[in-house]
Amino acid sequence: MGDLLALVTPKIDWYHDFKGQKNAERWFQVIHIVFAIFGFTWGYMLQRFSITVYAVIAAFIVSSIVTLPPWPVFRRDPLKWQPKLTENNSAKKKPKTKKDM
């Protein structure tokens, strides 16, 4: 089982970038607010608080499906990492300490 998981997981991107995290948070908030307003209004008209609670639970489920998986829309701006230093480059670019002076 572990070998199968190791074969599959490197091919799947499991992250959101920083802008994707911001967008996912915004979607989360919008979904919850819309469902809460709708649930409160509908529950108030029918005089049943349980409808409001069900609407909030539905908002949690919908927002989890929309924002938790790493959809490509949340991975549009990947980080640009610095290149890996080789042994020769790391010796040249090593910062001087008080001992070196």
Side-chain angles (χ1 to χ4, degrees):
M1 180 70 177
D3 294 331
L4 179 64
L5 189 60
L7 290 173
V8 173
T9 54
K11 297 175 180 153
I12 299 173
D13 293 323
W14 293 98
Y15 67 92
H16 290 104
D17 57 36
F18 288 118
K19 289 182 182 178
Q21 289 176 4
K22 181 180 177 182
N23 290 337
E25 177 68 24
R26 178 62 62 188
W27 275 103
F28 173 83
Q29 292 172 351
V30 167
I31 290 169
H32 276 265
I33 289 171
V34 168
F35 273 69
I37 290 171
F38 177 75
F40 180 77
T41 304
W42 190 25
Y44 183 77
M45 289 188 326
L46 298 178
Q47 294 294 309
R48 293 187 64 194
F49 185 70
S50 61
I51 293 174
T52 305
V53 173
Y54 293 145
V56 172
I57 292 170
F60 174 75
I61 292 169
V62 169
S63 66
S64 295
I65 292 169
V66 170
T67 62
L68 288 180
W71 301 111
V73 71
F74 299 130
R75 294 185 280 124
R76 289 186 179 167
D77 300 309
L79 290 174
K80 293 171 183 68
W81 296 93
Q82 293 183 351
K84 183 179 177 181
L85 293 177
T86 61
E87 197 168 310
N88 294 337
N89 288 345
S90 64
K92 291 178 186 176
K93 295 183 180 182
K94 191 174 187 180
K96 292 185 178 182
T97 61
K98 289 184 179 180
K99 293 179 184 178
D100 295 336
M101 292 181 181

